[in-house]
């Protein structure tokens, strides 16, 4: 029964990721939070398990996304090399920080983050991003600054349980990278974030001796397998459907969904 639930979550997360063009973390974390709550896990561990497991599943989905974007030549590998060390170190440290934050505060933090993403999706779609940009040679900051930016994005990604696309794409487009390459490079950046974050949540979770079956630290193995397998396939279906429907309408629908989930987290955290 557990496996079936996790397969369904994976199917929904993958479909939504393909349909709305966002990482599955924004879907996976809330769904796992609800399922783990129904399973009667300790409230102290539920949010940490949802975040750690979400990052572990992003390892699989980011490989799939990375390969697709790389075929189209949309990954800026020199930029990836500058960002990757900071992303990995930041995300590993972020997992340690998240491990020290109580489950209640994590709910509030993630709730506020989801509301911010919803706001950006609802009102940010009208801007023409980087239309003037130089596709060949965008003016990016120096290597040390890119490394530092990677560190900040990595820490935030661990605390929010996401692959970093919500943060990496705006960072790159701000410096004149065209949207397609920003999205492609962000997809590649999701891999070091996910690997370092999952390892961090495993290690720091093992130190806290989490008393939940079928887990390694703060990563639920059955949930990881079920979600990874299904999301790998359904993301492609979601992407096909996205081309049929209106992108503007899709973004607004997803923003409404995130708003509901964000307020749900705040409600659960405050009541």
């Amino acid at each position: 029964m557990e496996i079936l639930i996790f397969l369904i979550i994976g199917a929904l997360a993958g479909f939504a990721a393909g349909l709305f063009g966002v990482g599955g973390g924004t879907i996976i974390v809330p769904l796992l939070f609800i399922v783990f709550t129904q399973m009667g896990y300790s409230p102290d561990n539920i949010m940490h398990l949802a975040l750690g497991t979400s990052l572990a599943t992003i390892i699989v989905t980011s490989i799939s996304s990375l390969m697709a974007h790389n075929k189209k030549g949309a990954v800026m590998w020199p930029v990836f090399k500058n960002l990757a060390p900071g992303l990995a170190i930041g995300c590993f440290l972020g997992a340690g920080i998240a491990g020290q934050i109580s489950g209640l505060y994590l709910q509030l933090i993630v709730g506020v983050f989801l509301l911010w993403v919803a706001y950006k999706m609802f009102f940010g779609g009208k801007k023409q991003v980087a239309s003037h940009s130089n596709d060949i040679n965008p003016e990016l900051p120096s290597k040390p600054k890119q490394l530092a930016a990677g560190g900040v994005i990595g820490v935030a990604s661990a605390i929010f349980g996401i692959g970093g696309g919500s943060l990496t794409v705006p960072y790159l487009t701000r410096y004149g990278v065209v949207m397609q390459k920003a999205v492609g490079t962000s997809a590649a950046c999701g891999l070091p974030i996910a690997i370092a974050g999952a390892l961090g949540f495993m290690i720091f979770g093992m130190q806290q001796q989490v008393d939940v079956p079928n887990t390694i630290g703060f990563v639920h193995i059955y949930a990881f397998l079920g979600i990874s397998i299904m999301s790998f396939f359904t993301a492609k279906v979601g992407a096909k459907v996205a081309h049929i429907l209106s992108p503007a309408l899709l973004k607004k629908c997803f923003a409404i969904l995130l708003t509901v989930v964000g307020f749900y987290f705040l409600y659960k955290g405050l009541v």
Side-chain angles (χ1 to χ4, degrees):
M1 188 63 193
E2 274 187 34
I3 293 284
L4 181 62
I5 291 168
F6 296 135
L7 286 169
I8 292 167
I9 291 175
L12 289 170
F15 184 75
L19 187 64
F20 300 119
V22 297
T26 47
I27 299 285
I28 295 166
V29 172
L31 288 176
L32 283 180
F33 176 83
I34 294 165
V35 171
F36 290 157
T37 302
Q38 295 302 314
M39 287 178 169
Y41 294 166
S42 166
D44 294 336
N45 296 329
I46 288 173
M47 202 66 205
H48 299 87
L49 280 167
L51 294 172
T53 307
S54 171
L55 282 165
T57 64
I58 291 168
I59 295 172
V60 179
T61 51
S62 67
I63 291 170
S64 172
S65 180
L66 160 61
M67 288 165 68
H69 284 292
N70 193 43
K71 276 184 186 174
K72 295 176 182 175
V75 180
M76 299 168 69
W77 289 110
V79 177
F80 169 80
K81 286 174 186 174
N82 292 338
L83 289 172
L87 292 168
I89 295 165
C91 201
F92 187 82
L93 293 175
I97 294 166
Q100 299 304 312
I101 301 172
S102 74
L104 185 71
Y105 286 125
L106 270 180
Q107 284 175 45
L108 296 174
I109 291 167
V110 174
V112 170
F113 172 71
L114 291 176
L115 291 175
W116 175 75
V117 174
Y119 172 80
K120 295 287 280 186
M121 289 194 82
F122 207 88
F123 297 105
K126 293 172 187 173
K127 293 178 185 175
Q128 189 65 36
V129 183
S131 58
H132 62 282
S133 60
N134 182 347
D135 192 12
I136 308 300
N137 188 27
E139 293 179 14
L140 286 159
S142 62
K143 283 186 182 180
K145 285 184 178 177
Q146 287 184 50
L147 187 71
V152 173
I153 292 168
V155 170
S157 297
I159 293 171
F160 302 135
I162 57 168
S166 307
L167 306 168
T168 310
V169 171
Y171 170 73
L172 292 174
T173 54
R174 181 184 169 194
Y175 291 105
V177 176
V178 291
M179 195 64 183
Q180 291 88 339
K181 292 200 172 185
V183 172
T185 307
S186 172
C189 288
L191 190 56
I193 285 174
I195 292 170
L199 282 173
F201 274 101
M202 282 180 182
I203 292 165
F204 295 117
M206 283 190 285
Q207 287 176 353
Q208 296 191 23
Q209 297 176 332
V210 181
D211 186 25
V212 176
N214 309 313
T215 58
I216 300 174
F218 288 128
V219 175
H220 195 291
I221 300 305
Y222 287 173
F224 162 69
L225 292 172
I227 293 169
S228 298
I229 291 164
M230 286 304 291
S231 62
F232 190 83
F233 295 108
T234 56
K236 292 170 186 173
V237 179
K240 285 179 183 175
V241 175
H243 289 288
I244 301 167
L245 303 173
S246 157
L249 178 64
L250 282 175
K251 276 198 167 187
K252 283 188 168 54
C253 290
F254 189 60
I256 292 165
L257 173 65
L258 288 183
T259 303
V260 172
V261 175
F263 278 121
Y264 170 76
F265 273 141
L266 294 181
Y267 170 78
K268 292 288 284 184
L270 293 169
V271 174

